[in-house]
């Protein structure tokens, strides 16, 4: 990688480190850059967090206090997102937390508000991860030296709220930052020719998805299985938890006896799931019901005010071989028609694809990272890359079977709608991408300027343990 890219990526990390990405519609947080701190932002010699540190005040920023445990929680949150913490030091996380508190402090001054429901949804996801890692609410509370999970929720509420306020404040700081065509031109041509960025090979992909049809008989059979399980629990006193361990197809809860704690009305669960959770009394078991994920039995274990703890059993209807064969024939016929020129891939997708998210756009896939239609071949999902890597532009892949996270199978064909070879940045061809880089650089400068100005005007006190940290901003006011 050339010098220009290194410099820009290091600078970009300062901006990305403060971006909060919200959970998607399934409630799964795809990423949380609010806790990602690039080690290049600041240098220090302290070692990464390895074990719980005694409670104490690490810093005060305006009206906000940063505790030692806040840094520990940041490490846990990073791990919950699958991030490595080996090279992340306490100094780096301290710097990031102080930035968040500075933004949050200023957000309050500017009367920026965050709905409590939004924060509670984030906390639900965090607690679910912690409980899955440690085994129970009691162990999670004990880990953070809290008497109970309710006390921990209060702490998490304040921490998450300040992070969200920080994000909104930063957005406000940069919302009016724009770059003119002349600034883009100046930015690009100020880079020495041999140091201009090289853009990786990219492709644009479209898909057609055909789901094997689920018959009424298959649905009746899965309902009958759930009713038999329900009857055994009610009539014979069999443990719901044991049944969930033995039979539930939900990989997120079956090992815990189907347990989910702290379900709220505004939590990101399927509507049918929440309707059942809040319509039953404590100790009651639902009739079998359907969501987009499959068929459920739900047991209300405990009602705690506006929250409920539930257990559930998830089963999927069996797909018959006949349905699979019919789906296979349908998608193979579509492939033949497309290759014969009888119909375009986009038209076939709009008329026949079972994927609601892509069919109206001719099957075009959107990159979940960049939110545009281009995919970097070196960073693609391996399953997807394997299917399209050797395809020529306009060529259709072989039919293949794909499974979603619930285990549901679909038949797919893909096509490469556009290929972009690896190349050094070209001002004309890559103008939009160069514009983004120029805008990012300008935003970073605006953020740095705003931050240093606010540091001067804000009360800041830092514990002696962090006086030797080499922070990016003038936090120590030396």
């Amino acid at each position: 990688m050339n010098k220009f890219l290194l410099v820009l990526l290091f600078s970009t990390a300062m901006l990305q480190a403060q971006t909060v990405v919200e959970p998607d519609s399934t409630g799964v947080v795809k990423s949380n850059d609010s806790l990602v701190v690039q080690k290049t932002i600041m240098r220090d010699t302290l070692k990464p967090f390895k074990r719980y540190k005694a409670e104490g005040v690490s810093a005060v920023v305006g009206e906000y206090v940063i505790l030692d445990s806040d840094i520990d929680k940041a490490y846990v949150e990073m791990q919950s997102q699958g991030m490595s913490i080996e090279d992340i030091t306490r100094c780096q996380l301290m710097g990031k937390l102080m930035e968040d508190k500075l933004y949050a402090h200023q957000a309050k001054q500017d009367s920026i508000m965050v709905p409590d429901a939004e924060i509670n949804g984030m906390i639900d996801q965090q607690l679910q991860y912690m409980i899955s890692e440690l085994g129970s609410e009691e162990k999670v509370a004990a880990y953070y030296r809290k008497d109970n999970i309710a006390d921990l929720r209060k702490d998490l509420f304040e921490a998450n709220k300040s992070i969200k306020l920080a994000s909104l404040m930063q957005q406000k700081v940069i919302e009016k930052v724009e770059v003119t065509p002349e600034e883009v031109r100046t930015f690009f041509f100020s880079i020495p020719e041999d140091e201009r960025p090289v853009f990786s090979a990219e492709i644009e992909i479209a898909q057609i998805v055909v789901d094997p049809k689920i018959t009424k008989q298959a649905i009746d059979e899965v309902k009958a299985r759930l009713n038999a399980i329900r009857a055994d629990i009610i009539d014979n006193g069999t443990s719901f938890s044991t049944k969930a361990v033995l039979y539930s197809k939900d990989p997120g809860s079956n090992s815990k006896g189907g347990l989910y704690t702290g379900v709220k009305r505004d939590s990101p669960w399927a509507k049918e799931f929440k309707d059942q959770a809040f319509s039953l009394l404590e100790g009651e078991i639902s009739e079998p019901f359907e969501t987009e994920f499959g068929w459920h039995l739900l047991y209300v274990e405990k009602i705690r005010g506006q929250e409920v703890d539930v257990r559930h059993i998830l089963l999927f209807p069996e797909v018959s071989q006949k349905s699979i064969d019919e789906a296979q024939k349908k998608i193979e016929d579509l492939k033949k028609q497309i290759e014969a020129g009888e119909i375009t891939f986009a038209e076939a997708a709009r008329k026949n694809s079972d994927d609601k998210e892509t069919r109206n756009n001719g099957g075009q896939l959107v990159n979940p990272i960049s939110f545009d239609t281009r995919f970097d071949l070196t960073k693609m999902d391996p399953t997807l890359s394997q299917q399209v890597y050797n395809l020529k532009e306009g060529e259709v892949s072989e039919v293949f079977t794909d499974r979603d996270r619930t285990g549901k199978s679909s038949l797919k064909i893909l096509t490469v709608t556009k290929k972009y070879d690896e190349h050094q940045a070209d001002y004309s061809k890559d103008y939009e991408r160069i514009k983004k880089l120029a805008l990012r650089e300008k935003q970073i400068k605006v953020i740095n300027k705003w931050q240093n100005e606010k540091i001067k005007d804000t009360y800041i006190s830092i514990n002696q343990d962090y006086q030797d940290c080499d922070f990016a901003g003038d936090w120590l006011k030396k």
Side-chain angles (χ1 to χ4, degrees), residues 265 269-280 289 298:
R265 293 183 186 277
W269 299 89
K271 179 181 182 299
E272 300 89 346
F273 191 94
K274 290 189 291 186
D275 287 346
Q276 293 290 335
F278 288 97
S279 64
L280 299 172
F289 66 95
L298 187 140

Side-chain angles (χ1 to χ4, degrees), residues 109-326:
Q109 308 304 309
D110 292 1
S111 300
I112 294 176
M113 306 295 291
V114 180
D116 288 355
E118 185 176 340
I119 304 301
N120 286 325
M122 296 166 64
I123 295 171
D124 291 339
Q125 292 297 318
Q126 292 165 353
L127 286 177
Q128 284 176 24
Y129 170 79
M130 294 175 191
I131 292 168
S132 68
E133 289 296 302
L134 297 179
S136 69
E137 289 187 356
E138 291 73 19
K139 289 181 180 179
V140 172
Y143 180 82
Y144 287 109
R145 298 186 179 181
K146 299 297 177 183
D147 292 334
N148 51 59
I149 205 73
D151 288 345
L152 178 58
R153 285 190 71 94
K154 291 177 182 177
D155 283 0
L156 288 175
F157 183 90
E158 293 304 320
N160 280 279
K161 188 167 186 177
S162 68
I163 290 171
K164 185 61 180 176
L165 283 171
S167 174
L168 294 175
M169 187 67 238
Q170 188 189 78
Q171 291 173 24
K172 182 177 179 180
V173 171
I174 63 174
E175 66 182 356
K176 295 182 180 179
V177 178
E178 296 178 347
V179 286
T180 65
E182 184 57 35
E183 285 176 317
V184 177
R185 180 180 178 82
T186 300
F187 167 80
F188 180 75
F189 288 104
S190 66
I191 306 169
E193 190 169 343
D194 61 346
E195 295 182 11
R196 287 173 186 167
V198 174
F199 295 130
S200 301
E202 294 178 311
I203 57 174
E204 295 181 348
I205 310 165
Q207 68 174 5
I208 294 175
V209 179
V210 175
D211 296 328
K213 302 303 180 186
I214 297 174
T215 64
K216 182 179 184 302
Q217 179 182 347
I219 293 174
D220 289 343
E221 287 175 356
V222 80
K223 289 167 67 177
R225 286 185 64 197
L226 288 171
N227 276 320
I229 292 172
R230 183 175 185 272
D232 193 23
I233 295 169
I234 293 174
D235 297 338
N236 302 320
T238 306
S239 165
F240 191 102
S241 176
T242 300
K243 292 288 189 182
V245 171
L246 291 173
Y247 302 115
S248 181
K249 302 300 183 183
D250 177 13
S253 71
N254 54 11
S255 63
K256 300 179 293 182
L259 179 65
Y260 283 110
T261 60
V263 176
K264 294 186 174 184
R265 293 183 186 277
D266 55 6
S267 299
W269 299 89
K271 179 181 182 299
E272 300 89 346
F273 191 94
K274 290 189 291 186
D275 287 346
Q276 293 290 335
F278 288 97
S279 64
L280 299 172
L281 299 175
E282 198 169 288
E284 283 190 324
I285 302 175
S286 73
E287 301 283 345
F289 66 95
E290 185 182 18
T291 71
E292 61 181 307
F293 302 105
W295 283 83
H296 310 251
L297 278 184
L298 187 140
Y299 168 70
V300 175
E301 183 160 287
K302 190 170 184 61
I303 298 174
R304 295 186 282 108
Q306 298 302 309
E307 299 181 6
V308 293
D309 297 341
V310 301
R311 295 184 185 271
H312 87 131
I313 296 170
L314 173 67
L315 296 180
F316 308 128
E318 293 291 333
V319 179
S320 69
Q321 188 59 48
K322 180 182 177 182
S323 293
I324 295 174
D325 292 343
E326 289 174 348

Side-chain angles (χ1 to χ4, degrees), residues 209-215 218 317-333 354 399-403 407-412:
V209 179
V210 175
D211 296 328
K213 302 303 180 186
I214 297 174
T215 64
E318 293 291 333
V319 179
S320 69
Q321 188 59 48
K322 180 182 177 182
S323 293
I324 295 174
D325 292 343
E326 289 174 348
Q328 183 79 25
K329 185 178 186 307
K330 178 179 178 179
I331 200 166
E332 286 179 350
D333 288 345
D354 289 323
V399 177
F400 68 99
T401 301
D402 192 23
R403 295 180 185 274
K408 175 186 172 185
S409 296
S410 299
L411 297 174
K412 292 185 178 182

Side-chain angles (χ1 to χ4, degrees), residues 415-448:
T415 189
V416 174
T417 56
K418 187 74 175 175
K419 275 196 167 185
Y420 304 87
D421 294 330
E422 179 179 281
H423 63 283
Q424 189 174 46
D426 179 277
Y427 183 70
S428 299
K429 295 179 181 179
D430 301 304
Y431 179 81
E432 288 302 321
R433 299 175 76 177
I434 294 166
K435 180 180 178 181
K436 288 180 181 178
L437 294 176
L439 177 61
R440 179 60 56 86
E441 182 186 62
K442 189 172 181 179
Q443 288 173 336
I444 291 168
K445 291 178 179 178
V446 169
I447 287 172
N448 287 340

Side-chain angles (χ1 to χ4, degrees), residues 384-404:
L384 188 60
S385 176
Q386 180 181 355
Q387 300 298 330
V388 300
Y389 191 81
N390 293 318
L391 288 183
K392 298 176 182 177
E393 196 171 298
E395 189 177 359
V396 181
S397 74
E398 296 299 323
V399 177
F400 68 99
T401 301
D402 192 23
R403 295 180 185 274
D404 65 16

